[in-house]
């Protein structure tokens, strides 16, 4: 699909987490981003500290999830 994956992260960040679970979550988010992204697009994997917590996000330019469906997922 010729998708570019770009990362934004601090040079160093201390995180207390289950490394295997973190890898699984990021791998699933990245897999979905690739699956639903258009050809020749870009995916951004970002890690930052917000209020003392590590926040990992994956941003793509796919079709996304409808607002109603997103609310169903959050309610689970």
């Amino acid at each position: 699909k010729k998708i570019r994956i770009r990362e934004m992260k601090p040079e160093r960040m201390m995180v207390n987490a289950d490394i295997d679970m973190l890898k699984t979550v990021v791998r699933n988010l990245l897999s979905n981003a690739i699956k639903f992204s258009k050809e020749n697009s870009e995916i951004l994997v970002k890690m930052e500290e917000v209020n003392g917590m590590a926040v990992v996000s994956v941003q793509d330019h796919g079709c996304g999830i409808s607002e109603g469906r997103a609310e169903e997922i959050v309610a689970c």
Side-chain angles (χ1 to χ4, degrees), residues 1-3 8-9 14 17 19 21-22 25 29-30 39 41 44 48 57-59 64 67 70 72-73 76:
K1 291 178 95 172
K2 300 176 185 171
I3 296 172
M8 288 178 59
K9 60 183 177 61
M14 203 57 158
I19 188 65
M21 186 60 71
L22 187 58
V25 169
L29 290 171
L30 196 52
E39 193 170 327
S41 61
L44 173 62
E48 60 187 329
S57 60
V58 177
Q59 179 183 12
E67 189 174 322
E72 289 176 23
I73 294 169
C76 290

Side-chain angles (χ1 to χ4, degrees), residues 20-46:
D20 294 322
M21 186 60 71
L22 187 58
K23 287 179 184 178
T24 298
V25 169
V26 173
R27 184 173 45 246
N28 287 340
L29 290 171
L30 196 52
S31 175
N32 284 342
I34 292 168
K35 184 189 316 186
F36 294 107
S37 287
K38 296 176 181 163
E39 193 170 327
N40 296 311
S41 61
E42 178 180 272
I43 294 170
L44 173 62
V45 180
K46 187 175 177 183

Side-chain angles (χ1 to χ4, degrees), residues 58-76:
V58 177
Q59 179 183 12
D60 63 63
H61 299 282
C63 58
I65 300 173
S66 70
E67 189 174 322
R69 180 70 177 126
E71 289 173 6
E72 289 176 23
I73 294 169
V74 171
C76 290

